[in-house]
Amino acid sequence: MDQKELREWESRCIQEEPPACTAGCPLGVDARAFVQAMVQGDMQTARRILEKTMPLIGITARICEAPCENFCLRKDLGGSIAVGLLERSCISSAPRQGKILCLPSRGKKTGVLGGGPSSLVAAFDLAKKGYAVTLISSTSPGGWLSDMPSTVIPPEILAEELAVLEKMGVWFESATTLTPDVLAEVRTRCQTVYIGHDGELDTELCNLLANVAPETMALPEEGLFTGGIADAEHLWRYITSVAQGRAAALSMDRHMQGVSLTAARPRPRHGHTDLFTSLKDVNPKARIIPSTENDNYSPDEARQEAERCINCQCLECVRHCVYLQEFGSYPKVYSRRVYNNEAIVKGTHQTNTFINSCSLCGQCEILCPHDFSMATLCLEARQRMVEENRMPPSAHAFALDEMRAALSSQFELVRMAPGHQSSSAIFFPGCQLAAVRPDQTIALYHHLRAQWRDTGIWIGCCGAPAHWAGRKTEFREIGEQFLQSWRKLGSPRVLTCCSSCLQMFRKQLPEVDAQSVWSITAPPLNAAAPAKQLPLALTDPCTARNDKATQAAVRRLIADLGQELADLPLSGELTECCGYGGLMDNANPELTRKVLENRVSQTSADFLTYCIMCREQLARTGRPVLHILDLLFPETARSAEEAPLGISTRRANRRALKIRLQEEYFGERISPPEEWQGISLKIASELLPILEKRRILTDDIRQVLWLTEQSGRYFEHQSRGIRLTSARLGEVFFWLEYVLNGNEYLLQKAWSHRMVPAKVTK
Amino acid sequence: MSMSFLPEDMNWICRPCGVKLQPSTVELSYLGSVFSVELPACPQCGAVLISEELATGRMLQVEQLLEDK
Ligand code: SF4
Ligand code: SF4
Ligand SMILES: [Zn+2]
């Protein structure tokens, strides 16, 4: 990923756009964070947030007319958050938190004429930027602020803010009247001059202030700037003056530094933001009215009012995805992490696990207002990792082994219908259905052949695991291999039960006419929902998210069976992955557990699915889960409560299914089993879950034991009668601890590792 | 990872060599990194014993660390 691509990714996620209140604040105050601090009753933090952007804070926080409230998303849901009142409440309860930091002196002088609020703000900002400011007024500085009732601005507060300005180095001078002569004199000693409309200017000086450029507050005469143009009738008189004073100060700074007044200048947002915030689950809640006569909130009222804040965020994707929650941030930040991960030359690639944990299910893309696809981000990152040889070898090892086994001659079977020389269709159950439900695979094959006699059968794998693991070359090769065999069959229609296979074929091999079995079958005559079956929650596989036709076909089939469905909001195009997709379960089993728990917590109903991996994964939670084949073929139905099959059983089922088809259907001679398959093995039952977790197959165990018999090499315990042996299969070293009883092996322990040991010979 | 990983129980005999395993210097390598550690090994044929505790503990951690390097 290069910088440009990173920017593109980042720009899609709008979570960092300001909330409406900030966008509606001419000073860009982070009102959301401020209000959230008020929810906690944390006045200090709240004040610190205001101090970041607010000039003359003691005054601004007291009298700002809060135009932000006009844009607040709460507006029509009980009334905007009273940000203004909350600021008042904060400012009177917490003292100043941080020092005002001024930049080191730039050795340049600037003048401010008039003592109105806009002039004070211009002086404040310019002093902060390191300029020597002289403020000249004809009355006491503060202008119309001094006329405010003392309950609104106590005189000592104004005095305090003026003292702050003085401390910042602002030099106060007075003149009897502010005339063009005074301006001319100031110009001789200052590079730029600000003339505050809200000060007491004489008419002639006022006349000089025509034709101001609204964006920069620059006057036609070079070096002159103005502001404070709002009059007493103006709804937002104070904040407008403040904003203009600030805009002018920014221009004056640019002018004195000799840079363009307009280039890359942040535009005022006037409430505009691209932040999306869902109001779907937000209930109306009325604004809290202060109970005291001075119109101020009590601490309790302030908290209650603050609690109404929606805390506007997008996070549409994060709200629903356990994976996105797990890593604590949101896609904009995640895309930066992926980028940084690639930029690392030396050191730990901390984002590897993150990249490999995504199930690539695509829910985020549907939810995101800008179609941000974490799936694409992560898949492409994986592909680059593989290409650059940075992919952790163990990340997807087991799934890839399983896939390669399914594609090997030991397990793969491709046949025309028995007695047929051509096939108009071929049944491709998908590698996992064949492994988990061999009986139902055959039942379904029968059923299809009852409709189309010449339907062939293909027990294999579509290569999805290679795709998910980022292994482009391997995936392409599997596709090419598939095409070759498929053409040899006469390019038949491919009928599959697996949404992942269907997705792979459609994306990768568009010339193959691939169809979902569910969209072409009618229920067999004897099929029906068992009597009194409660409504089931139908979970669509994530790879069928965009396959509306299959989703509808499955629902029709279920309706024909008389099975009622329970409500499951996140289904159809919003469905969730079971953790098998994208090989999440391989790279992050812990996370998969959370994903599954979250999924079953969404309904109290039992589940129904048409993906065998969804069935097996969801069943791990203990929730009853049926596969649609259990309804279609009652005579082969498995209990919804049945625990998921282990890895070794799946492997054995695959092997047995091929043999059964060869013998029963095609009358073929079965090739003799491999020698290691003859090893007589007994496994202590408490060891089974450990083998499952460590992903050690009984096939692996038998092979290691057979190799031990061949070599005659093992360790024997001096007194305990146990033996220890190991062998390397592929990249993995397997260790077995066992007792040999006659010719039967009683396995007691098994473990594995990848590091290669070698004794150093002296 | 230069450490000693000798299991409590060292009473293993190598077959067919017929000699007891001895603490030995062993090199463990993975993805281009090599570590020198002390492990039980057969003084005669050099076969090394990797205990369950080591394989599923420290060694697994190091493997994962190296995979992310
Ligand atoms: S609800 Fe809160 S965050 Fe959203 S606009 Fe209103 S004050 Fe800002
Ligand atoms: S849905 Fe997610 S990715 Fe899209 S803008 Fe919102 S936070 Fe960003
Ligand atoms: Zn030996």
Side-chain angles (χ1 to χ4, degrees), chain A residues 345 347-350 352-353 390-395 690 694 711-720 722-724 726 735 737 749-762, chain B residues 1 9 11-17 20-21 24-31 33 35-36 39 41-43 45-52 55-56 59 62-69:
Chain A
V345 185
T348 318
H349 292 83
Q350 287 172 344
N352 283 355
T353 307
R390 288 186 288 107
M391 180 59 90
S394 68
I690 296 175
R694 296 185 180 164
S711 68
R713 315 190 61 89
Y714 54 91
F715 299 141
E716 186 170 19
H717 196 270
Q718 263 181 326
S719 53
R720 287 165 53 213
I722 49 173
R723 293 182 179 189
L724 198 51
S726 81
W735 285 84
E737 196 180 294
K749 286 180 179 168
W751 60 95
S752 69
H753 60 86
R754 290 173 167 261
M755 286 194 116
V756 183
K759 183 174 179 293
V760 179
T761 45
K762 305 230 172 76
Chain B
M1 201 187 176
D9 187 349
N11 298 318
W12 293 95
I13 303 191
C14 181
R15 299 285 178 210
C17 301
K20 211 174 147 185
L21 302 193
S24 318
T25 307
V26 172
E27 282 188 341
L28 294 174
S29 51
Y30 189 51
L31 301 175
S33 295
F35 304 87
S36 194
L39 285 175
C42 170
C45 73
V48 177
L49 190 157
I50 309 277
S51 69
E52 179 175 28
T56 58
M59 194 182 240
V62 173
E63 284 174 5
Q64 282 168 350
L65 240 110
L66 292 174
E67 290 198 348
D68 284 339
K69 234 175 95 176

Side-chain angles (χ1 to χ4, degrees), chain A residues 112-359:
Chain A
V112 174
L113 294 193
S118 82
S119 296
L120 299 185
V121 168
F124 180 92
D125 279 8
L126 287 163
K128 252 188 113 176
K129 291 177 200 287
Y131 294 99
V133 184
T134 303
L135 187 146
I136 306 172
S137 60
S138 58
T139 57
S140 66
W144 59 267
L145 294 176
S146 326
D147 306 335
M148 300 288 285
S150 64
T151 44
V152 179
I153 302 183
E156 67 273 17
I157 293 291
L158 178 56
E160 220 171 82
E161 291 301 328
L162 293 173
V164 166
L165 286 172
E166 217 161 339
K167 238 180 128 192
M168 292 168 75
V170 176
W171 178 254
F172 290 92
E173 287 181 8
S174 59
T176 11
T177 41
L178 297 175
T179 59
D181 286 348
V182 176
L183 173 61
E185 188 277 324
V186 173
R187 291 221 73 176
T188 60
R189 42 181 173 130
C190 294
Q191 220 178 319
T192 52
V193 179
Y194 176 83
I195 310 164
H197 236 297
D198 49 353
E200 5 29 76
L201 316 176
D202 87 340
T203 339
E204 254 182 276
L205 186 54
C206 260
N207 290 341
L208 289 179
L209 304 184
N211 296 325
V212 56
E215 193 196 349
T216 59
M217 301 314 283
L219 289 167
E221 192 182 327
E222 208 191 309
L224 287 193
F225 299 83
T226 187
I229 296 168
D231 57 33
E233 308 309 311
H234 196 292
L235 200 55
W236 298 332
R237 181 190 189 190
Y238 176 75
I239 191 65
T240 305
S241 297
V242 169
Q244 290 172 349
R246 172 156 284 183
L250 174 62
S251 301
M252 292 161 82
D253 177 33
R254 286 179 168 220
H255 180 89
M256 288 184 276
Q257 293 201 53
V259 297
S260 155
L261 298 194
T262 49
R265 185 179 178 120
R267 315 240 154 221
R269 288 180 165 266
H270 302 300
H272 173 83
T273 175
D274 282 328
L275 182 69
F276 171 85
T277 303
S278 166
L279 299 177
K280 218 175 66 199
D281 298 321
V282 181
N283 296 320
K285 229 186 200 173
R287 185 172 176 141
I288 305 292
I289 309 296
S291 55
T292 55
E293 65 277 22
N294 66 2
D295 213 24
N296 276 341
Y297 281 140
S298 69
D300 222 34
E301 288 169 334
R303 212 202 52 251
Q304 284 176 36
E305 175 61 10
E307 274 170 354
R308 296 171 60 242
C309 173
I310 297 161
N311 190 8
C312 296
Q313 314 267 351
C314 175
L315 300 181
E316 281 297 291
C317 53
V318 181
R319 270 187 248 278
H320 290 97
C321 172
V322 175
Y323 158 69
L324 290 174
Q325 287 157 23
E326 175 83 359
F327 291 87
S329 201
Y330 45 87
K332 185 163 193 160
V333 173
Y334 291 147
S335 57
R336 268 175 241 151
R337 287 193 195 161
V338 169
Y339 173 82
N340 290 337
N341 199 53
E342 286 175 24
I344 289 175
V345 185
K346 261 185 144 67
T348 318
H349 292 83
Q350 287 172 344
T351 309
N352 283 355
T353 307
F354 170 78
I355 291 169
N356 284 326
S357 296
C358 174
S359 69

Side-chain angles (χ1 to χ4, degrees), chain A residues 24-160:
Chain A
C25 169
L27 302 174
V29 166
D30 190 350
R32 178 180 60 188
F34 164 74
V35 176
Q36 288 311 305
M38 294 295 283
V39 171
Q40 302 304 319
D42 184 351
M43 299 288 176
Q44 272 101 12
T45 302
R47 167 136 186 175
R48 203 171 300 122
I49 292 163
L50 297 182
E51 284 174 5
K52 273 192 204 153
T53 38
M54 233 180 223
L56 311 181
I57 189 165
I59 297 161
T60 309
R62 279 189 174 79
I63 63 166
C64 175
E65 298 91 345
C68 57
E69 293 180 17
N70 242 37
F71 303 95
C72 175
L73 298 200
R74 253 287 172 215
K75 200 172 178 188
D76 300 325
L77 290 159
S80 303
I81 302 301
V83 177
L85 281 179
L86 289 172
E87 286 175 1
R88 245 131 280 176
S89 165
C90 168
I91 201 73
S92 46
S93 336
R96 175 161 275 289
Q97 296 297 303
K99 271 238 232 38
I100 299 175
L101 298 174
C102 297
L103 289 179
S105 164
R106 293 177 186 273
K108 285 179 183 164
K109 290 184 181 162
T110 180
V112 174
L113 294 193
S118 82
S119 296
L120 299 185
V121 168
F124 180 92
D125 279 8
L126 287 163
K128 252 188 113 176
K129 291 177 200 287
Y131 294 99
V133 184
T134 303
L135 187 146
I136 306 172
S137 60
S138 58
T139 57
S140 66
W144 59 267
L145 294 176
S146 326
D147 306 335
M148 300 288 285
S150 64
T151 44
V152 179
I153 302 183
E156 67 273 17
I157 293 291
L158 178 56
E160 220 171 82

